[in-house]
Amino acid sequence: MTRIRCDRTAAWGELQTVFQGKGHRLDVRAAFAGDAGRFGHFSQEAPHVFADLSKNLLDADIERLLFALARQCGVEEHRQALFAGAAINSTEQRAVMHWLLRNPAPVPVDTAQPASKNIADEQAQVHATLDAMLAFAERVRSDDAITDVVNIGIGGSDLGPQMAVLALDAFALPGKRFHFVSNVDGHELAATLARVKPQSTLFLVASKTFTTIETMTNAQSAKRWFENQGGTDIGRHFAALTTNVAAANAFGITTTFGFWDWVGGRYSVWSAIGLPLAIAIGAQGFRAFLAGAHDMDEHFRTAPLECNLPVRLALLDVWYRNFHGFTSRSIAPYHSALRRLPAYLQQLEMESNGKRVDTCGKALPFATAPVLWGEPGTNGQHAYFQMLHQGTEVVPVEFVAVKKPHHGLTGHHTLLLANALAQAQALMLGQTDPDTGGEGHRRFTGNRPSTFLLLDDLTPTSLGALIALQEHRVFVSGSVWGINSFDQWGVELGKVLAKDVEARLLRGDATGLDGSTAGLLARLQE
Ligand code: F6P
């Protein structure tokens, strides 16, 4: 498969020329004034998600060049390789097939692609595991003696299920409480254990590798606590969600749900890692979550680039990061149930595309992943939106709003949606200072870009689609940048050093350390 790094394509140079010309001074207000069809042209209907891109700093010429860039980089071939099960995670020689977890039917074999996997076999295993996991989830749901589910996991083994359980609270079975313990900071586990009873708690130890030090430390402590409280039936009160079933068994857990090395941690909510969500919303709800994602997979796999929402969003990301030089993107979910969405997307984007070398290991001469951050609206408006409106940095904002509320309180939802629309409007329109009629403290420059993602309702199906949309968008920008979006070597060095520092802290040994670490270690020893 041919992948050409973006900076080596003809389109890259053309985009640079366009940026230096009209691109950097494109005024969205003028663009609207000159084009009555702008909203229609720059909005996109995708399965379960509507997107308005029209308030962004682009026009049809720029977008045409961005599509050319994607084609010249081989995004379409790369997408085909993804769906054929080729080993596109090249540093680990692994296929990337989280999409298979939500595929309801046998996959047609693409004989043109060298697949590293027998997809039909994998699919059979996926469905057998899913059935077993969902049957288990249903048993837990009907077991009134279990009132609390404690998920112990970190990174992808925490963020996905936590975000989704919160997001779909309106669909959750009453009478079960969900707790998520991720940090090795004992305050987190201790506070959770203080709220639960051993006889009514199910601990889920979620770890792809079953070696992650935070998760193992928390799991050992939870097991010790359970036994110290007189708990004996580990088989009933502990289950493991892992690709390393042998290690889970060695830990003493006999109830296990497996998955495969071709599921990356940050792409694993669709696998056994999604068990807390399956317990919360039931087998039918979890299947609807998978179905929504599958609908988005099909859209991404089959739609031409020009009307392919993940592609359009990713190309906009590239335009902003590499031509405008914007360093971050703010996620503004106008729905409090989506409050962990920014943290979830942060891992998805930054662990996937926070890379400084291409797939051949050569240093890149251009920027990759932006910083992702955010808080639910309207809270963000009373915190950092000041900077978004009047700061010196331009930060593209991604609004996520939902048409239908799941509460009956009068007036709230209209006010919430009005605020989302008004913020996007204010960012774009700006205002001259009413005191001076021009520059001044009350001036808003405007022309600040935003994207508006709109769901009709926040349901298992639409959440599945929204998350799959974001996964594919990250795939496309990573593909254009010519990087491997599916490894994460950047987390390794800190892990190794932490082991050394832990041993030094225990024996009070600072010999050979850098001055700062030695100084801090000495202070901790006083
Ligand atoms: O932080 C690195 C990482 O490997 C993530 O990619 C992953 O989601 C997390 O750690 C947890 O890993 P595991 O599920 O193997 O415990």
Side-chain angles (χ1 to χ4, degrees):
M1 200 208 68
T2 332
R3 283 179 73 188
I4 300 180
R5 225 173 64 187
C6 50
D7 58 320
R8 297 177 179 148
T9 63
W12 187 261
E14 290 173 66
L15 279 160
Q16 278 172 332
T17 308
V18 168
F19 179 74
Q20 279 146 19
K22 68 171 177 175
H24 75 282
R25 54 186 149 77
L26 189 143
D27 190 308
V28 181
R29 296 157 294 196
F32 268 108
D35 177 9
R38 183 172 170 88
F39 177 76
H41 187 76
F42 289 103
S43 56
Q44 175 75 58
E45 198 76 64
H48 317 290
V49 182
F50 173 82
D52 171 22
L53 311 178
S54 65
K55 294 196 195 80
N56 282 294
L57 305 175
L58 83 174
D59 64 13
D61 291 339
I62 295 167
E63 219 190 13
R64 208 173 303 117
L65 278 175
L66 288 167
F67 293 131
L69 175 71
R71 289 208 165 83
Q72 289 169 24
C73 291
V75 167
E76 287 160 311
E77 292 81 357
H78 198 208
R79 175 181 62 179
Q80 239 180 318
L82 168 79
F83 286 105
I88 61 170
N89 175 355
S90 51
T91 59
E92 296 176 300
Q93 275 308 304
R94 287 180 185 165
V96 175
M97 299 203 297
H98 45 273
W99 54 269
L100 190 68
L101 300 168
R102 51 233 190 182
N103 197 68
V107 187
V109 177
D110 183 348
T111 45
Q113 290 290 329
S116 64
K117 294 281 167 202
N118 181 340
I119 295 182
D121 284 358
E122 302 283 335
Q123 171 99 77
Q125 288 182 40
V126 163
H127 284 182
T129 307
L130 176 64
D131 291 346
M133 164 196 154
L134 294 183
F136 179 79
E138 286 299 331
R139 281 201 299 282
V140 175
R141 281 165 67 83
S142 55
D143 184 346
D144 292 336
I146 297 291
T147 54
D148 292 85
V149 176
V150 178
N151 190 81
I152 297 177
I154 197 164
S157 299
D158 164 70
L159 289 163
Q162 188 186 153
M163 174 275 295
V165 165
L166 286 171
L168 298 174
D169 183 53
F171 296 81
L173 182 73
K176 303 257 186 254
R177 288 178 293 268
F178 293 85
H179 313 264
F180 290 85
V181 175
S182 53
N183 202 321
V184 74
D185 180 350
H187 294 103
E188 204 169 274
L189 179 63
T192 303
L193 294 179
R195 288 198 294 270
V196 299
K197 295 194 171 53
Q199 66 276 13
S200 55
T201 300
L202 170 66
F203 290 96
L204 301 177
V205 182
S207 176
K208 179 178 171 180
T209 54
F210 224 79
T211 58
T212 305
I213 192 73
E214 292 92 333
T215 302
M216 292 303 107
T217 305
N218 281 325
Q220 287 289 2
S221 296
K223 189 173 156 207
R224 211 174 306 122
W225 171 87
F226 179 79
E227 288 168 342
N228 289 344
Q229 301 273 316
T232 48
D233 196 352
I234 299 267
R236 173 167 154 73
H237 290 278
F238 281 76
L241 322 173
T242 185
T243 58
N244 190 353
V245 171
N249 292 156
F251 181 92
I253 300 182
T254 46
T255 308
T256 59
F257 298 96
F259 54 110
W260 303 271
D261 70 355
W262 45 259
V263 184
R266 51 194 175 274
Y267 300 88
S268 64
V269 66
W270 324 98
S271 71
I273 294 293
L275 183 57
L277 178 65
I279 296 172
I281 64 174
Q284 213 186 340
F286 195 79
R287 286 191 192 280
F289 177 62
L290 299 180
H294 176 68
D295 291 342
M296 190 58 77
D297 292 341
E298 286 304 283
H299 167 73
F300 174 56
R301 192 173 68 81
T302 60
L305 302 189
E306 286 73 10
C307 50
N308 192 313
L309 186 55
V311 172
R312 293 183 83 178
L313 288 173
L315 293 176
L316 191 56
D317 296 341
V318 170
W319 175 239
Y320 285 159
R321 190 75 187 99
N322 300 117
F323 297 89
H324 282 275
F326 301 154
T327 55
S328 82
R329 176 163 79 249
S330 183
I331 310 296
Y334 274 67
H335 198 304
S336 67
L338 291 173
R339 60 191 172 278
R340 290 298 284 165
L341 183 69
Y344 175 81
L345 295 180
Q346 206 167 58
Q347 186 198 20
L348 184 61
E349 174 83 46
M350 294 166 75
E351 202 174 68
S352 298
N353 286 345
K355 309 284 163 68
R356 53 168 292 281
V357 295
D358 65 16
T359 48
C360 305
K362 296 265 179 307
L364 296 170
F366 53 81
T368 57
V371 176
L372 252 66
W373 57 283
E375 282 288 323
T378 60
N379 294 6
Q381 288 173 213
H382 298 274
Y384 54 79
F385 266 59
Q386 161 66 40
M387 181 268 200
L388 300 182
H389 288 291
Q390 290 189 316
T392 49
E393 295 267 315
V394 174
V395 179
V397 182
E398 190 153 297
F399 293 90
V400 184
V402 181
K403 214 160 132 184
K404 189 180 150 216
H406 280 263
H407 62 76
L409 299 174
T410 314
H412 287 252
H413 205 64
T414 309
L415 188 55
L416 178 72
L417 291 178
N419 270 278
L421 289 171
Q423 288 300 320
Q425 207 180 14
L427 286 165
M428 175 177 71
L429 296 180
Q431 167 189 280
T432 52
D433 188 318
D435 297 330
T436 65
E439 202 50 271
H441 293 287
R442 293 168 71 192
R443 176 167 181 235
F444 291 68
T445 54
N447 208 33
R448 302 218 161 183
S450 69
T451 296
F452 207 98
L453 300 181
L454 185 59
L455 312 182
D456 280 343
D457 195 357
L458 183 57
T459 63
T461 310
S462 66
L463 182 70
L466 178 68
I467 299 308
L469 165 70
Q470 300 287 352
E471 288 177 350
H472 294 316
R473 165 212 210 140
V474 164
F475 170 85
V476 173
S477 52
S479 187
V480 169
W481 287 325
I483 59 182
N484 180 0
S485 302
F486 300 102
D487 59 12
Q488 55 284 318
W489 299 109
V491 302
E492 296 302 325
L493 179 59
K495 286 188 196 172
V496 173
L497 295 183
K499 271 197 186 142
D500 175 57
V501 175
E502 183 192 19
R504 286 169 176 280
L505 272 169
L506 290 171
R507 53 174 207 271
D509 172 14
T511 42
L513 284 177
D514 64 89
S516 168
T517 312
L520 290 168
L521 199 135
R523 253 192 110 84
L524 285 165
Q525 232 78 56
E526 279 166 11

